[in-house]
Amino acid sequence: MKTKQHNFSKLAERLKSSMIRELLKYANMPGAVSFGGGTPDPETFPRHELSKIASEILEEEYKYTLQYSVTEGDPQLINQILILLKRIYGIEGLSHENILITVGSQQALELLGKVFIDSGDYVVVGDPEYLGAISAFRMREPRFVVAKFDEDGPDIDMIEQKIEEIDRAGEIKKLKFIYVVSNFQNPSGVTTSLEKRKALIEVAEKYDLLVVEDDPYGVLRFEGEHVPSIMKLGGTDRVILLNTFSKILCPGLRIGVVVADKSIVRKMVLAKQGTDLCSPSLTMRLAARYLERYDVLEQIKPAIELYRKKKNEMVRALENYFGDIKGTKWTNPNGGLFIWTTLPEGYDTMEMFKFAEQNKVFYIPGEAFRPYSEPSSSMRMSFCLPSVEEIHEGVKRLRTAFDQYRVSRGMK
Amino acid sequence: MKTKQHNFSKLAERLKSSMIRELLKYANMPGAVSFGGGTPDPETFPRHELSKIASEILEEEYKYTLQYSVTEGDPQLINQILILLKRIYGIEGLSHENILITVGSQQALELLGKVFIDSGDYVVVGDPEYLGAISAFRMREPRFVVAKFDEDGPDIDMIEQKIEEIDRAGEIKKLKFIYVVSNFQNPSGVTTSLEKRKALIEVAEKYDLLVVEDDPYGVLRFEGEHVPSIMKLGGTDRVILLNTFSKILCPGLRIGVVVADKSIVRKMVLAKQGTDLCSPSLTMRLAARYLERYDVLEQIKPAIELYRKKKNEMVRALENYFGDIKGTKWTNPNGGLFIWTTLPEGYDTMEMFKFAEQNKVFYIPGEAFRPYSEPSSSMRMSFCLPSVEEIHEGVKRLRTAFDQYRVSRGMK
């Protein structure tokens, strides 16, 4: 029987299966320790409260919860988002027209791509960078302007230098925005410093650019001081802020938030109309009623405490098992879900992966987070799901894998 | 204070506010009768059952319902979809890899656009056509090949002739698919005849094309015989079937379904990964458990009976108030939510709209459903939401508006 060869679009021909998905295929096998996944612990979700509210709003508000919503999102959830923006960021003075609710942050990234990026346009991203942003933007065929993401945020000098080149080439209008995950970046765990946030806004002002600040992890701070958001510093004229309820509440509701200038929100609403018409009314209203009745920032405190403890354990384990390897380093994040561990120069965590797999320990090689795939000596290690015991056991196995890899390469 | 001029993409510059939204702005004013909206009656939604299930699955299945899902969709809902495909269409032998769950049918249309359409490609659509499909496809910049949509479905001769032209120009590889809403089309209410379904497959075979069959309304048949689906006739090698739970269950869950060849589903899954990662687990599992416990095809029978009655009333009202206007006609659909009324040649339902508005009656001018905006003497009239009394009153007002419009134009 012949198999029909479909005549896909060029975009479809470029779409590849996620490297992470392939790598983590065996991460759930018995006895394995996985530092791979970045999903929150389901035990931290307020299931009893959500169960009760869902039952109520389906009985009493069915005319809303089971019907189409408006594309902009549930107005009652937007009310709650405006309150949270004030509480979390100290951002005030915004109205409903500044907010769009999306199906997770991923949709916000995709809609941003639609409303800003034409084929050949430029977008500034980090190395390493959040993979979901790269894949959303990539569908619109931009050229990525890649700047090193250091231990205090993006390399501003490198960004300025590359922007200058684009400006000299007369293409500055094609540079659409600078993308940055401002707090506890996925994958590096790095928080961009206040100085660098200000510098980013200066660069944006100088070249009349937008900054897209993505902040899914900011509320998961377990130590150190809150750093003012780029949006708070730069305002909606200069900054688009993305957020999500996936880490503060739970991912299953798929609720992302765009905070932006009204004209940008308007365009994104039109793009969303053609993309999925509207988000599910039920999940939006569920989040709205939850936020009305409970203090979500109080509710996540135990989760934050849990992550803090696990992060410290992972740092201790790394000190124990990798402290003697000269040139090895790791970030020590003040929040979020990830530690970024870098092996000495010349090592390749993708090559090492098969040794790790043999030792039943999993991580994500740094290569997965580079806008243009290149070998990397770094790896993302998530501490949110494994137990404390698993963290120590996993890092121990990682050292074994590292030693085996070293021997196989003839390195000492 | 200066307002920042944003440097949007070409796509964003093309995005316009929905004409329907603008037209129906005042449709909810007191005393108005609206035939505009196409949303189902919320009283037909099984809210008690859904309320109970939601409460249960949030308590007991929170590890799934509040967590990220896989991009393909809830496997338990896919099980139920496979059962429904057999019951509704007699389609058997498909597996999980043939199914993708989307955020409403709108997302299915958008993902189809992504995986098939490059700028300048051809897509065959009807005149009139479902607006959501046009706007989803348009984001990928196709050229629409428009064929008249007659009272028994698409004008096959016109389609063949236009395809031949494209073939002669050596561009047949750029023709990606023929799109058709097979049952009770939105806006016309027309069901494509069995002969035309077969003819569509023949054309598709001859030129090695795909047919996209969109069938949101098929289950809402209130009279006449089931017509075999194009998918049933042509199989997954030739046909992609789109469906939705918006009309069979409720729109608020935002659950669409793609049934297609595995390689197509695979590409659409990859496109969905970059688009919104995954659909909300809660709404998918809610639908799955509902379908397991209740017979959805039994449950919608009262709704179908209601729609049948209202459709008959609207036809009666049209006979009463427009029976004497020579050259006026209306479809008499066997299901769905819409009647398509056409005024005598030379009339323009967009021009007439302001008279209707003055008389507090609302409809959607046919122009809204043309792939390339052109005046139309037709209008879409939805009978699902107004009461029987409102239907008669509304059609009466429509006649008044028509008479006023006629006078204003100096026509008799």
Side-chain angles (χ1 to χ4, degrees):
Chain A
M1 197 184 114
K2 78 175 166 69
T3 304
K4 175 145 173 44
Q5 288 300 307
H6 297 292
N7 191 7
F8 290 116
S9 65
K10 293 186 193 85
L11 167 58
E13 299 297 352
R14 284 200 316 274
L15 289 169
K16 291 275 179 343
S17 181
S18 152
M19 186 199 289
I20 291 185
R21 194 184 257 239
E22 292 303 314
L23 290 173
L24 297 185
K25 215 183 275 183
Y26 303 108
N28 290 321
M29 65 180 172
V33 174
S34 178
F35 302 141
T39 59
D41 184 341
E43 301 304 329
T44 68
F45 305 152
R47 62 182 189 270
H48 307 303
E49 294 84 348
L50 291 172
S51 167
K52 194 162 165 292
I53 295 171
S55 166
E56 275 177 41
I57 63 177
L58 282 166
E59 278 290 346
E60 291 158 28
E61 302 185 63
Y62 65 96
K63 287 185 189 180
Y64 179 79
T65 54
L66 295 174
Q67 189 59 282
Y68 294 103
S69 175
V70 290
T71 309
E72 290 82 350
D74 181 6
Q76 309 226 16
L77 179 55
I78 293 180
N79 285 339
Q80 294 302 312
I81 288 167
L82 291 171
I83 293 170
L84 275 179
L85 284 175
K86 187 174 167 192
R87 287 188 66 196
I88 296 174
Y89 298 107
I91 292 172
E92 296 184 77
L94 298 183
S95 71
H96 277 235
E97 290 72 37
N98 293 108
I99 310 288
L100 168 65
I101 298 174
T102 55
V103 177
S105 262
Q106 188 65 32
Q107 184 180 56
L109 294 163
E110 200 263 350
L111 295 176
L112 268 185
K114 277 190 176 125
V115 307
F116 283 109
I117 305 172
D118 289 311
S119 175
D121 280 353
Y122 298 99
V123 168
V124 179
V125 296
D127 174 15
E129 189 53 274
Y130 172 54
L131 195 60
I134 299 291
S135 60
F137 301 154
R138 188 170 273 151
M139 290 195 285
R140 300 284 305 163
E141 299 183 295
R143 286 177 276 186
F144 289 114
V145 179
V146 184
K148 212 162 146 280
F149 205 78
D150 291 327
E151 274 154 59
D152 59 347
D155 183 330
I156 305 287
D157 292 339
M158 194 185 272
I159 288 178
E160 272 221 77
Q161 187 197 315
K162 292 194 174 184
I163 292 179
E164 259 169 45
E165 280 168 31
I166 290 167
D167 193 25
R168 272 200 304 274
E171 296 208 296
I172 195 71
K173 283 275 165 221
K174 291 191 169 188
L175 205 169
K176 295 309 176 77
F177 54 77
I178 302 170
Y179 174 80
V180 59
V181 180
S182 51
N183 293 307
F184 323 126
Q185 190 221 34
N186 176 356
S188 68
V190 161
T191 294
T192 297
S193 67
L194 180 59
E195 294 64 39
K196 285 200 164 178
R197 290 174 194 226
K198 289 179 177 165
L200 275 175
I201 292 169
E202 271 172 38
V203 173
E205 291 283 354
K206 181 170 170 190
Y207 293 97
D208 195 21
L209 306 171
L210 287 164
V211 177
V212 174
E213 176 180 29
D214 195 356
D215 187 24
Y217 307 106
V219 287
L220 299 182
R221 174 179 286 282
F222 32 73
E223 56 204 23
E225 279 211 15
H226 171 77
V227 186
S229 72
I230 307 177
M231 172 61 99
K232 173 77 178 168
L233 297 169
T236 53
D237 256 16
R238 199 49 71 193
V239 186
I240 297 169
L241 172 64
L242 309 185
N243 216 308
T244 170
F245 284 91
S246 293
K247 274 79 193 182
I248 196 173
L249 189 55
C250 62
L253 304 182
R254 308 297 301 124
I255 298 177
V257 179
V258 180
V259 185
D261 185 61
K262 292 177 185 181
S263 66
I264 294 173
V265 168
R266 189 76 209 121
K267 282 291 179 195
M268 291 180 81
V269 166
L270 293 176
K272 183 170 164 71
Q273 265 174 29
T275 300
D276 69 357
L277 222 54
C278 61
S279 296
S281 314
L282 173 60
T283 53
M284 291 191 288
R285 186 55 56 90
L286 185 54
R289 294 280 173 257
Y290 180 83
L291 294 170
E292 277 169 23
R293 294 183 200 178
Y294 301 94
D295 184 341
V296 73
L297 299 182
E298 278 299 317
Q299 180 269 323
I300 49 160
K301 281 188 175 168
I304 292 173
E305 182 49 32
L306 185 72
Y307 296 149
R308 189 189 64 76
K309 195 176 152 200
K310 288 185 178 181
K311 187 271 292 183
N312 285 336
E313 294 293 340
M314 189 175 270
V315 168
R316 265 187 48 211
L318 284 163
E319 283 165 357
N320 274 347
Y321 295 106
F322 284 88
D324 62 324
I325 312 287
K326 222 184 123 187
T328 299
K329 58 185 181 170
W330 45 87
T331 56
N332 189 348
N334 291 327
L337 306 173
F338 308 110
I339 285 178
W340 185 245
T341 301
T342 302
L343 301 177
E345 222 167 296
Y347 286 86
D348 179 347
T349 50
M350 187 66 92
E351 280 183 7
M352 188 173 83
F353 192 83
K354 64 170 185 281
F355 297 98
E357 203 173 8
Q358 283 161 16
N359 286 280
K360 293 193 175 183
V361 61
F362 294 84
Y363 58 83
I364 313 283
E367 183 170 336
F369 305 100
R370 307 195 91 157
Y372 299 104
S373 200
E374 276 174 83
S376 164
S377 59
S378 301
M379 56 188 149
R380 190 188 79 176
M381 296 170 65
S382 168
F383 48 79
C384 55
L385 279 174
S387 68
V388 170
E389 293 69 36
E390 285 172 327
I391 285 173
H392 286 276
E393 173 63 22
V395 177
K396 184 179 166 190
R397 291 181 193 177
L398 204 58
R399 171 60 193 260
T400 308
F402 174 75
D403 288 336
Q404 291 168 348
Y405 170 47
R406 213 156 42 154
V407 168
S408 82
R409 293 265 315 247
M411 299 193 269
K412 58 170 172 88
Chain B
M1 197 184 116
K2 77 174 167 70
T3 304
K4 177 147 172 41
Q5 290 300 309
H6 297 292
N7 191 7
F8 290 116
S9 65
K10 293 187 193 84
L11 167 58
E13 298 297 350
R14 286 199 316 272
L15 289 169
K16 291 277 178 344
S17 182
S18 152
M19 188 198 290
I20 291 186
R21 193 184 259 239
E22 292 303 315
L23 291 172
L24 297 185
K25 215 184 277 182
Y26 304 107
N28 290 321
M29 65 180 171
V33 175
S34 179
F35 302 141
T39 59
D41 186 341
E43 302 304 329
T44 68
F45 305 153
R47 62 182 189 268
H48 308 303
E49 294 84 349
L50 291 173
S51 167
K52 194 161 165 291
I53 295 171
S55 165
E56 275 177 42
I57 62 177
L58 281 165
E59 278 290 347
E60 291 158 26
E61 303 185 64
Y62 65 96
K63 287 185 189 179
Y64 178 78
T65 54
L66 294 175
Q67 190 58 285
Y68 294 103
S69 176
V70 290
T71 309
E72 290 83 349
D74 181 5
Q76 309 225 16
L77 180 54
I78 294 180
N79 284 339
Q80 294 301 312
I81 288 167
L82 291 170
I83 293 169
L84 276 179
L85 284 174
K86 187 175 168 192
R87 288 188 66 196
I88 297 174
Y89 298 106
I91 293 172
E92 296 186 77
L94 298 183
S95 70
H96 277 235
E97 289 74 35
N98 294 107
I99 310 289
L100 168 65
I101 299 174
T102 55
V103 177
S105 263
Q106 188 65 33
Q107 185 179 55
L109 294 163
E110 200 263 350
L111 295 176
L112 267 184
K114 277 193 176 124
V115 307
F116 283 109
I117 306 173
D118 289 311
S119 176
D121 280 354
Y122 298 98
V123 168
V124 179
V125 295
D127 175 15
E129 188 53 275
Y130 172 54
L131 195 60
I134 299 290
S135 59
F137 301 154
R138 188 170 274 152
M139 289 195 286
R140 301 284 305 163
E141 298 183 296
R143 285 177 278 185
F144 289 115
V145 179
V146 185
K148 213 162 145 277
F149 204 78
D150 291 328
E151 274 153 58
D152 59 347
D155 183 332
I156 305 288
D157 293 339
M158 194 185 271
I159 289 179
E160 271 221 78
Q161 186 197 317
K162 292 193 173 185
I163 292 180
E164 259 170 43
E165 280 168 31
I166 291 167
D167 193 25
R168 273 202 303 274
E171 296 207 297
I172 195 72
K173 284 272 164 222
K174 291 190 168 188
L175 205 168
K176 295 309 174 80
F177 53 77
I178 303 170
Y179 173 81
V180 60
V181 181
S182 51
N183 293 307
F184 324 124
Q185 190 221 32
N186 176 358
S188 68
V190 161
T191 294
T192 297
S193 68
L194 181 58
E195 294 64 38
K196 286 201 163 175
R197 290 174 194 227
K198 288 179 178 164
L200 274 175
I201 292 169
E202 271 172 38
V203 173
E205 291 282 354
K206 182 170 169 190
Y207 292 97
D208 194 21
L209 305 171
L210 287 164
V211 177
V212 175
E213 177 180 29
D214 195 357
D215 187 23
Y217 308 106
V219 288
L220 300 181
R221 174 178 286 281
F222 32 72
E223 55 205 24
E225 279 211 12
H226 171 78
V227 186
S229 71
I230 307 177
M231 171 61 99
K232 173 78 179 168
L233 297 169
T236 52
D237 255 16
R238 199 48 71 192
V239 186
I240 297 168
L241 173 63
L242 308 185
N243 217 309
T244 170
F245 284 91
S246 293
K247 276 78 193 183
I248 197 174
L249 188 54
C250 63
L253 304 183
R254 308 296 302 124
I255 298 177
V257 180
V258 180
V259 185
D261 184 62
K262 291 176 186 183
S263 66
I264 294 173
V265 168
R266 189 76 209 119
K267 282 290 180 194
M268 292 179 81
V269 166
L270 294 176
K272 183 169 163 73
Q273 266 174 28
T275 300
D276 69 356
L277 222 55
C278 62
S279 295
S281 314
L282 173 61
T283 54
M284 291 192 288
R285 185 56 56 90
L286 185 54
R289 294 281 173 257
Y290 180 84
L291 294 170
E292 277 170 23
R293 295 183 198 177
Y294 301 94
D295 184 343
V296 73
L297 300 182
E298 277 299 316
Q299 180 268 325
I300 50 160
K301 281 188 176 168
I304 292 173
E305 183 50 30
L306 184 72
Y307 295 149
R308 191 190 63 77
K309 195 177 151 199
K310 288 187 178 182
K311 188 271 291 181
N312 287 335
E313 294 293 338
M314 189 175 270
V315 168
R316 266 187 48 210
L318 284 163
E319 283 164 358
N320 274 348
Y321 295 105
F322 284 87
D324 62 324
I325 313 286
K326 221 186 124 187
T328 298
K329 57 182 183 174
W330 45 87
T331 57
N332 190 349
N334 292 327
L337 306 173
F338 309 110
I339 285 178
W340 186 244
T341 301
T342 302
L343 301 177
E345 222 169 295
Y347 287 87
D348 178 346
T349 50
M350 186 65 91
E351 280 182 7
M352 190 174 80
F353 192 82
K354 64 170 184 283
F355 297 99
E357 203 173 11
Q358 283 161 17
N359 286 282
K360 293 192 174 182
V361 61
F362 294 84
Y363 58 83
I364 313 283
E367 183 170 337
F369 305 100
R370 307 195 91 157
Y372 299 105
S373 198
E374 275 174 84
S376 164
S377 60
S378 301
M379 55 188 150
R380 190 188 80 176
M381 295 170 65
S382 168
F383 47 79
C384 55
L385 279 175
S387 68
V388 170
E389 293 67 36
E390 286 172 325
I391 286 173
H392 286 276
E393 172 64 21
V395 176
K396 185 179 165 190
R397 292 182 192 177
L398 203 58
R399 172 60 194 261
T400 308
F402 174 75
D403 287 337
Q404 291 168 346
Y405 170 46
R406 220 166 24 163
V407 168
S408 83
R409 292 262 321 242
M411 297 193 268
K412 55 169 174 96

